[in-house]
Amino acid sequence: MNSSHFSISLHILTLLDKVKGQLLNSEYIAGSINCNPVLVRKELANLHKHGFVQSKEGKGGGSTLAKNPADINLGDVYMAVKQKSLLGESKNEPNPDCPVGRQITKQLTQLYSDAESALIKDLSAKTLKDFSSGFE
C-alpha cells in the first residue's frame, strides 16, 4: 500500500494557500485532515526542508506558504514527499530457474519507472495555484 504523504502534504499546502498568509498551527491543520497533529508536524517539517512552507514557533505560531502558489510545482512536491516506489516492490525473490522469474524484476523496474515518469511529468505541468483554484 502506498503512503499518504503526498495527499497530506497537498492538503496542507492547499489549506495554507486558502488562508492567504495567515499562520495555521498543526492542530488546526490536523482538524482539517482528520489526523494526528504529530503527523502534520512531520509533514510540515519535510515541506519546510524543501522550501514550500515557513514556520514560526511558540505561542501564536504556525505555518504559512514560503512561496507563491503559482511557483509551487506539484511534481516537485511529489518528489519531496516520495518515500517508496509508486507501484510497490516485490517481497519475494523470484525463481531464477523460471524464464519469467529470472526476468520479472528487470521488466517490472522498467515498467514502474516509465509509469512514475509519466506521473511526474503530468504533476509537473500543474502548480499549487492550479490545484487550489478547484476549491471554493
Side-chain angles (χ1 to χ4, degrees):
M1 178 180 286
N2 290 316
S3 74
S4 56
H5 293 279
F6 182 71
S7 62
I8 290 172
S9 292
L10 197 50
H11 190 136
I12 291 168
L13 293 171
T14 304
L15 189 58
L16 293 176
D17 177 37
K18 290 301 181 185
V19 298
K20 305 293 182 212
Q22 179 184 346
L23 290 172
L24 294 182
N25 64 37
S26 57
E27 289 77 18
Y28 182 90
I29 296 169
S32 177
I33 299 171
N34 198 21
C35 70
N36 190 304
V38 172
L39 178 60
V40 169
R41 286 190 284 276
K42 287 180 183 178
E43 294 303 322
L44 283 168
N46 187 50
L47 292 169
H48 182 268
K49 177 177 127 184
H50 287 91
F52 298 115
V53 302
Q54 53 192 9
S55 300
K56 177 183 172 192
E57 295 185 21
K59 186 173 171 106
S63 297
T64 188
L65 291 179
K67 297 180 175 183
N68 184 308
D71 296 329
I72 297 177
N73 177 292
L74 299 189
D76 292 341
V77 174
Y78 174 80
M79 292 304 293
V81 302
K82 176 187 171 203
Q83 294 189 327
K84 295 181 182 179
S85 173
L86 177 65
L87 297 174
E89 299 167 357
S90 178
K91 293 184 181 193
N92 49 353
E93 191 66 36
N95 182 347
D97 295 327
C98 171
V100 173
R102 73 174 151 257
Q103 298 178 58
I104 192 71
T105 301
K106 178 182 175 186
Q107 295 296 327
L108 285 174
T109 299
Q110 186 61 53
L111 179 69
Y112 291 179
S113 176
D114 292 347
E116 190 163 42
S117 292
L119 171 66
I120 293 168
K121 181 180 178 183
D122 186 60
L123 288 172
S124 295
K126 296 172 180 69
T127 66
L128 178 60
K129 181 180 178 181
D130 300 330
F131 182 77
S132 186
S133 70
F135 296 81
E136 295 181 18

